[in-house]
Amino acid sequence: MAQLWGGRFTKETDQLVYAFNASINFDKRLINEDIEGSIAHVTMLAKQSILTNDERDAIIKCLNEILADVNNGKLEITEKYEDIHSFVEANLIDRIGDTGKKLHTGRSRNDQVALDMRLYTRKQVKLTQELLKELLTTINSVMKANIDTYMPGFTHLQKAQPITLAHHFGAYFEMFKRDYLRLSDIYERMNYCPLGAGALAGTTYPLDREYTASLLDFKGATANSIDSVSDRDYLIEYLSALSMIMMHLSRFSEEIIIWNSNEYRFVEIDDTYSTGSSIMPQKKNPDIAELIRGKVGRVYGALTSLLTTMKGIPLAYNKDMQEDKEMSFDAFDTVNGCIKLFDGMMKTMKFNKEVMAKSAMCGFTNATDAADYLVKKGMPFRDAHSVIGRLVLYCIDVNKSIDELSIDELKEICPMFDEDVYNEISLETCVEKRLTKGSPSSQAMNEEISGNDIFLKSI
Ligand code: ARG
């Protein structure tokens, strides 16, 4: 056991207590941030003449050596240390003696861990944004290639009206675009440096907190020292954004699973992104999409867990807050991994355009347009709705689609039908006549895609 706080104690910590209290097993992933923060701290201490330049240089040199030794395997982070902060400080003191003991001047582990976690989360937010940008680019290219790929649009998972694949994917572009922008907002809000808050009440040393903040590329120092050490809102915001991303990925995955099913066959997931069955030789399963859908629970779990952990904590730091790490790290890894895999699956997936168009052709997706046709001929919409309803019943009876009926059959149900109806209710017309902003026609779609291109260039 290597602890930083032995002085006040006359007995050794119980082994079980030590293990229960320790966080080294999971906070070791903060080593880069811990050392980055310590280097900024001593640089500021020397600028303020709290340390000499020689002391600063010796500490920084040694901190870099510790990091290098951990990275090349010469130095192992073991359970002998309570947490990553103790590990770094103890090794520093081992190597350079008394000078090393000066590192923690004007600092507490409370503001230190607040800084480490913020630095780490800040990098993760950027990583998620990079991955989302890649996915958005993929979705936009599918859109470009499928402006005239007709398919049924659904409500209640029942065929509703004809749309295009580009139009359908455009909906997901919007979702992930909002996710991207949400992360930018979160980044702005979290980009303040808590170091210098001390345990909770600042310090009596003349620290230059704004200088430390600028060394670490923050927008500034946090405003209140109590809030600095007890705030995990930024983490909750990020977990909430990650939950939303997972919800979007899960909806998309669910559709891919349905579209990839034997009944639909709208898409074919590539062999490299599918798995087989140990017993049924014919199977090619969409496991990746199912797993992404399945992993949503653990990300929502991380969000719920941290919200719950934080809700009863009096100001300022309490050890409960150590629980902010494990599930958050798991959520970061899970979401970033899922976006990457989903993107790979999209890039390799095949779209069965004929199957989609055929599906749009049957199932009466042009029934609304048939009613609109009668409205244009002078019939009130409610009456037209009822006429087409009867027409659909007749079609079901004779097992034909509306456009497969002869003009005589159509006229028998309503004499207002003319030869021009066939063109008016064709798949192409149904789509191309929808010209309003955000609709599936190629004109509206091209505008939407230009907007997407501008957005992708701006990020
Ligand atoms: N391992 C602790 C955490 O993650 C570091 C801060 C410890 N501070 C303290 N006062 N015990 O929160």
Side-chain angles (χ1 to χ4, degrees):
M1 291 191 251
Q3 289 158 332
L4 298 172
W5 37 264
R8 189 214 181 281
F9 290 75
T10 52
K11 289 191 209 162
E12 281 276 305
T13 322
D14 180 273
Q15 275 296 338
L16 266 181
V17 172
Y18 182 81
F20 187 66
N21 189 51
S23 53
I24 191 82
N25 277 332
F26 47 89
D27 66 19
K28 61 182 168 197
R29 75 153 87 188
L30 298 175
I31 178 129
N32 287 304
E33 291 70 26
D34 198 74
I35 287 183
E36 202 184 334
S38 288
I39 290 175
H41 182 61
V42 292
T43 306
M44 181 276 296
L45 290 179
K47 178 178 108 51
Q48 299 302 96
S49 306
I50 301 165
L51 292 187
T52 65
N53 287 349
D54 286 348
E55 287 167 336
R56 173 198 64 198
D57 294 345
I59 293 174
I60 292 178
K61 182 166 172 277
C62 186
L63 286 172
N64 282 324
E65 284 165 6
I66 290 172
L67 186 59
D69 286 353
V70 168
N71 286 336
N72 65 29
K74 269 196 216 146
L75 181 61
E76 206 192 335
I77 305 177
T78 67
E79 285 170 24
K80 195 176 133 206
Y81 305 92
E82 181 187 340
D83 55 28
I84 192 64
H85 326 297
S86 322
F87 167 82
V88 172
E89 197 176 322
N91 276 283
L92 182 72
I93 295 169
D94 270 358
R95 292 179 181 204
I96 59 170
D98 283 349
T99 309
K101 291 182 183 164
K102 297 189 174 181
L103 165 67
H104 211 52
T105 313
R107 188 175 71 169
S108 155
R109 272 188 299 166
N110 297 351
D111 58 345
Q112 187 179 359
V113 76
L115 172 70
D116 291 4
M117 201 57 189
R118 218 177 264 237
L119 284 172
Y120 188 84
T121 308
R122 203 173 63 163
K123 283 185 204 158
Q124 290 291 315
V125 171
K126 283 280 179 221
L127 174 61
T128 309
Q129 285 194 306
E130 264 169 50
L131 294 165
L132 279 180
K133 184 177 177 182
E134 185 63 32
L135 178 59
L136 282 165
T137 308
T138 306
I139 293 173
N140 201 37
S141 352
V142 174
M143 289 175 74
K144 285 179 183 169
N146 290 285
I147 292 177
D148 55 2
T149 303
Y150 300 118
M151 62 174 280
F154 296 87
T155 62
H156 313 274
L157 206 54
Q158 311 264 350
K159 288 181 198 178
Q161 291 171 343
I163 55 166
T164 65
L165 186 62
H167 191 221
H168 196 95
F169 268 50
Y172 285 104
F173 189 96
E174 292 306 305
M175 292 178 228
F176 293 119
K177 177 181 165 187
R178 284 194 294 274
D179 289 331
Y180 186 98
L181 293 172
R182 193 171 291 117
L183 291 173
S184 301
D185 295 345
I186 293 170
Y187 190 94
E188 284 300 304
R189 233 182 334 275
M190 71 180 285
N191 198 18
Y192 293 88
C193 182
L195 202 66
L200 80 160
T203 83
T204 53
Y205 298 97
L207 306 186
D208 183 345
R209 292 195 56 214
E210 294 298 342
Y211 179 67
T212 315
S214 73
L215 288 176
L216 292 166
D217 224 11
F218 283 105
K219 212 166 163 194
T222 46
N224 177 287
S225 64
I226 297 177
D227 181 56
S228 306
V229 290
S230 46
D231 168 39
R232 297 294 182 271
D233 289 2
Y234 68 91
L235 203 49
I236 293 174
E237 284 192 54
Y238 181 41
L239 289 173
S240 155
L242 291 179
S243 297
M244 191 93 84
I245 293 170
M246 284 308 281
M247 182 265 285
H248 293 151
L249 282 177
S250 181
R251 291 182 80 171
F252 212 165
S253 294
E254 168 73 3
E255 299 211 282
I256 300 302
I257 292 162
I258 293 171
W259 292 3
N260 187 65
S261 67
N262 303 140
E263 278 68 27
Y264 273 74
R265 293 196 309 108
F266 280 11
V267 297
E268 194 180 328
I269 299 175
D270 195 66
D271 278 6
T272 50
Y273 279 83
S274 310
T275 49
S277 157
S278 61
I279 176 169
M280 298 166 281
Q282 85 282 13
K283 288 281 223 149
K284 193 177 138 184
N285 296 327
D287 286 28
I288 299 309
E290 288 171 12
L291 265 175
I292 293 172
R293 190 179 58 184
K295 283 182 191 291
V296 178
R298 61 204 283 174
V299 180
Y300 289 3
L303 172 63
T304 315
S305 162
L306 189 56
L307 278 169
T308 313
T309 296
M310 295 304 294
K311 85 174 182 60
I313 303 184
L315 296 175
Y317 179 87
N318 291 258
K319 196 61 177 252
D320 320 37
M321 289 162 78
Q322 181 166 289
E323 286 295 310
D324 66 351
K325 295 182 191 61
E326 274 168 293
M327 291 182 79
S328 296
F329 292 156
D330 181 78
F332 300 170
D333 296 347
T334 301
V335 180
N336 291 333
C338 284
I339 303 174
K340 213 174 185 160
L341 275 160
F342 192 88
D343 182 56
M345 183 173 70
M346 277 290 142
K347 282 192 165 96
T348 50
M349 200 162 67
K350 285 202 183 56
F351 299 97
N352 297 329
K353 299 186 184 193
E354 290 90 64
V355 178
M356 287 183 179
K358 225 184 230 162
S359 169
M361 249 152 0
C362 54
F364 308 108
T365 57
N366 54 2
T368 317
D369 294 79
D372 288 344
Y373 169 85
L374 292 177
V375 170
K376 272 175 221 149
K377 298 265 167 177
M379 191 183 282
F381 179 76
R382 197 44 66 210
D383 293 339
H385 186 283
S386 154
V387 169
I388 302 301
R390 271 185 283 126
L391 188 66
V392 167
L393 264 182
Y394 175 79
C395 285
I396 294 171
D397 232 27
V398 297
N399 196 22
K400 285 181 179 172
S401 64
I402 300 176
D403 37 287
E404 280 169 348
L405 297 178
S406 70
I407 191 68
D408 293 340
E409 284 173 297
L410 286 167
K411 274 188 185 295
E412 196 165 313
I413 287 170
C414 177
M416 282 166 96
F417 279 119
D418 261 319
E419 281 292 344
D420 61 348
V421 68
Y422 296 108
N423 180 49
E424 285 296 300
I425 63 168
S426 78
L427 205 50
E428 199 180 335
T429 313
C430 289
V431 167
E432 287 301 334
K433 275 205 162 166
R434 290 176 154 77
L435 291 165
T436 48
K437 182 176 179 184
S439 303
S441 68
S442 51
Q443 186 188 314
M445 222 51 239
N446 278 321
E447 268 170 46
E448 194 172 315
I449 291 170
S450 310
N452 293 351
D453 284 337
I454 292 169
F455 174 70
L456 286 171
K457 258 193 216 125
S458 75
I459 59 175

